[in-house]
Amino acid sequence: MTIIKKEVKRKQYQLIKGMKDILPEEQKYWQTFEVMTKNTADKYGFQKISTPLVEHFDLFRRSAGAVSDIVEKEMYNFVDKGGENIALRPEFTAGICRAYIEHGMLNLPQPIKLYSIGPCFRYDQPQSGRYRQFYQLNFEIIGEQDAICDAQIILVASKIYQKLNLPTVVQINSIGCADCRPAYEEVLRDHLKKYRSKLSEVSQKRFAKNVLRILDSKEKTDQEIVKDAPQQVDYLCDDCRQHFIQVLEYLDELEIPYALNPRIVRGLDYYTRTTFEIWPAEGDPATVSALGGGGRYDGLVELLGGRPTPAVGFAVGLERSINFLKEQKVEIFESFQPDIFLAQLGVESRKKSLALFEKLCDSGIQVSEGFAKSGLKAQLEMANKLGVKYTLIVGQKELIDGTIMIRDMEGGIQEMVDAKKIVAEVQKRLAKTQLNINNIAKEGDNCQNQTAK
Ligand code: AMP
């Protein structure tokens, strides 16, 4: 008799293009930024807001502008089952302003200071530091026009990197307001028109509708052409000039390193006056990828149906910030660093260990275990890898004697301890070695330069 084996076709699924798994070993970097964000927000009085991942497509079309890259090329939008044109958020600000209006936050004492952290989506061409799903942390001050808010927003953005020992520089510009910008755009067009045919294809398209964006083109030929272009700061109206000077004075006072950069125009229609980006301090201006950026957007709330409301904010990208952290070799400690490893030998010991594990945890001891392993060698290897100070071994003999073996992982010395006194004994030994490095994570400062370790 012949047996016909049925062929099972295995299909392996892969990540969608531009998406990224954040594996367990990467999580400590993400946690560092999350903790840092929360601590910074608390310190400067920002409250957390979480808006949905999806909004009406039109919200982004209106806010970012129909000719922005985001709306023209990068939106993840679809028609849902109810026939609505829905988009995954490409950034936070529009959704936050919608929430500000919808929940009547205008009636609360102003300004409203909000922060968010979460994924955004842009259907961009994936490359190093650019994904289709990426994470941003985002801060906004809504309802105040004073330049001190611009300075505080820039301070908060800089502080996050400063606290992580990451050298950054603020690239800053002012793009004026609806009163003074049109005249500057004309001057710029006038200057560029003689080079129009030499501009890159994208910049040629932007010439009529979005001439400012030619200034931040990444194309070498465009960069050469705009090098000597007239600068917006020389064409600001009195109010915008005054505002810009005040912002810079505040930055001087705070000793925040900055560089005036006429090419920082940002990609979205809603910006007014201050625009800025955070760059790695050593970044090459021709090729640098900004870690984050932001600026003032005094007209956006009104554009979205609210009352005229000045506002300023910024967002930084976490993937790029984490890459920078790694490049700078800043060492991040694991937020969970066990002090004790619990090893067991045999079925009965395993049962006892399960309860002992709970007892140790409940006493505030950081403990890890090897329940899934049966051999002592493999468990001691695990303990070594984890870098614990002591391993507790619960074996058959110990079970009968009512004892537990405690092994000092550094010297290999082993001692028998009365099982009833094991928690107190562990606490006593740990207190002596002052091992709990988790204290270092306090205030989010769970990092040090590698040399400092
Ligand atoms: P933007 O508002 O476009 O300047 O974005 C602010 C920050 O978000 C950037 O400086 C990046 O760090 C990050 N970011 C924007 N788009 C992407 C992307 N496609 N992939 C990864 N990070 C991004």
Side-chain angles (χ1 to χ4, degrees):
M1 194 175 76
T2 48
I3 299 169
I4 302 166
K5 264 198 182 166
K6 212 175 164 190
E7 276 238 337
V8 185
K9 224 183 179 183
R10 284 200 202 163
K11 182 176 161 81
Q12 276 202 357
Y13 293 94
Q14 285 175 341
L15 269 173
I16 291 176
K17 190 175 172 187
M19 304 292 163
K20 182 178 174 347
D21 292 319
I22 306 166
L23 298 175
E25 58 267 28
E26 287 280 299
Q27 295 292 343
K28 62 181 176 187
Y29 299 107
W30 295 80
Q31 247 172 20
T32 297
F33 275 97
E34 278 159 24
V35 173
M36 194 64 70
T37 303
K38 163 99 176 68
N39 289 340
T40 311
D42 288 348
K43 179 170 171 194
Y44 294 97
F46 288 79
Q47 290 181 300
K48 188 166 187 182
I49 182 165
S50 304
T51 55
L53 285 182
V54 289
E55 299 273 1
H56 290 290
F57 172 79
D58 199 48
L59 176 77
F60 300 117
R61 193 191 56 76
R62 276 212 91 158
S63 58
V67 292
S68 61
D69 281 354
I70 285 187
V71 173
E72 267 191 339
K73 298 188 286 198
E74 298 168 3
M75 289 294 269
Y76 252 106
N77 59 310
F78 56 96
V79 176
D80 74 3
K81 291 191 174 113
E84 302 251 34
N85 192 358
I86 299 288
L88 299 183
R89 67 176 174 220
E91 52 108 36
F92 279 95
T93 307
I96 289 170
C97 286
R98 181 214 27 84
Y100 174 90
I101 300 165
E102 200 164 341
H103 300 285
M105 291 189 214
L106 185 69
N107 302 317
L108 301 172
Q110 305 292 299
I112 304 286
K113 295 164 92 174
L114 300 168
Y115 82 97
S116 301
I117 185 161
C120 295
F121 301 83
R122 294 185 194 171
Y123 200 85
D124 211 345
Q125 211 35 52
Q127 50 182 270
S128 163
R130 184 173 299 169
Y131 304 93
R132 290 185 175 168
Q133 174 179 318
F134 58 97
Y135 282 72
Q136 279 191 342
L137 56 93
N138 184 88
F139 284 71
E140 316 281 0
I141 304 180
I142 309 178
E144 178 54 63
Q145 62 177 6
D146 199 287
I148 199 162
C149 293
D150 305 43
Q152 193 179 55
I153 275 290
I154 294 170
L155 171 71
V156 169
S158 310
K159 263 275 150 63
I160 288 170
Y161 294 100
Q162 215 183 71
K163 283 227 157 205
L164 291 165
N165 295 324
L166 294 172
T168 58
V169 61
V170 177
Q171 303 284 325
I172 190 166
N173 188 24
S174 172
I175 56 165
C177 64
D179 288 338
C180 57
R181 196 184 313 147
Y184 168 67
E185 285 175 339
E186 269 321 299
V187 172
L188 185 60
R189 257 188 220 105
D190 211 43
H191 173 83
L192 292 177
K193 83 178 167 222
K194 45 188 173 291
Y195 308 104
R196 198 166 169 178
S197 60
K198 294 201 179 92
L199 286 169
S200 67
E201 210 182 307
V202 184
S203 288
Q204 289 194 29
K205 277 192 201 144
R206 286 176 172 160
F207 185 85
K209 284 193 183 155
N210 207 353
V211 68
L212 282 193
R213 288 298 313 280
I214 298 177
L215 294 174
D216 77 353
S217 165
K218 290 265 184 254
E219 298 292 330
K220 256 208 153 90
T221 46
D222 294 343
Q223 288 180 354
E224 270 305 305
I225 292 170
V226 301
K227 225 170 51 189
D228 302 317
Q231 300 184 3
Q232 170 84 67
V233 286
D234 296 323
Y235 294 84
L236 296 175
C237 60
D238 286 347
D239 286 350
C240 287
R241 186 179 313 112
Q242 202 45 39
H243 185 92
F244 194 42
I245 290 170
Q246 278 176 6
V247 175
L248 299 182
E249 282 173 357
Y250 283 124
L251 297 187
D252 288 335
E253 191 67 28
L254 290 162
E255 295 181 11
I256 295 174
Y258 68 85
L260 296 178
N261 186 337
R263 295 184 49 218
I264 303 296
V265 295
R266 314 285 293 137
L268 309 176
D269 268 11
Y270 57 62
Y271 284 109
T272 50
R273 295 191 169 174
T274 315
T275 46
F276 70 93
E277 286 184 357
I278 307 281
W279 288 9
E282 304 294 317
D284 170 3
T287 53
V288 71
S289 287
L291 298 165
R296 184 157 274 287
Y297 53 94
D298 290 343
L300 182 59
V301 173
E302 190 180 8
L303 187 74
L304 298 179
R307 276 192 257 160
T309 309
V312 59
F314 78 90
V316 305
L318 287 187
E319 287 79 1
R320 283 187 206 170
S321 301
I322 287 169
N323 283 346
F324 185 39
L325 194 79
K326 290 179 182 168
E327 275 163 31
Q328 293 291 310
K329 303 204 180 338
V330 175
E331 176 140 336
I332 303 296
F333 292 114
E334 292 286 354
S335 55
F336 178 75
Q337 169 60 48
D339 297 328
I340 297 292
F341 188 86
L342 185 55
Q344 36 66 44
L345 298 164
V347 181
E348 282 309 307
S349 309
R350 191 175 288 177
K351 257 192 228 161
K352 281 273 177 243
S353 300
L354 210 56
L356 178 59
F357 180 83
E358 292 307 305
K359 219 163 132 185
L360 290 162
C361 288
D362 293 346
S363 314
I365 295 165
Q366 308 254 40
V367 54
S368 193
E369 41 73 18
F371 295 149
K373 301 252 185 293
S374 48
L376 184 60
K377 190 166 171 259
Q379 293 185 75
L380 287 178
E381 268 170 22
M382 268 179 91
N384 258 328
K385 257 197 196 143
L386 288 165
V388 296
K389 188 76 183 159
Y390 299 101
T391 294
L392 305 184
I393 305 165
V394 186
Q396 300 295 352
K397 182 174 173 301
E398 288 83 356
L399 211 62
I400 298 162
D401 295 351
T403 55
I404 287 172
M405 177 100 77
I406 182 161
R407 179 185 170 96
D408 183 331
M409 296 302 283
E410 220 170 79
I413 298 167
Q414 304 193 146
E415 283 172 63
M416 286 297 198
V417 175
D418 182 347
K420 289 195 198 90
K421 294 182 184 155
I422 190 69
V423 172
E425 177 63 27
V426 167
Q427 280 170 333
K428 195 172 87 192
R429 291 187 184 215
L430 289 179
K432 248 192 229 162
T433 55
Q434 294 177 327
L435 191 77
N436 195 344
I437 67 165
N438 248 17
N439 290 341
I440 297 163
K442 227 179 140 210
E443 245 251 323
D445 291 339
N446 52 344
C447 64
Q448 287 185 356
N449 280 335
Q450 204 159 37
T451 45
K453 207 188 164 189

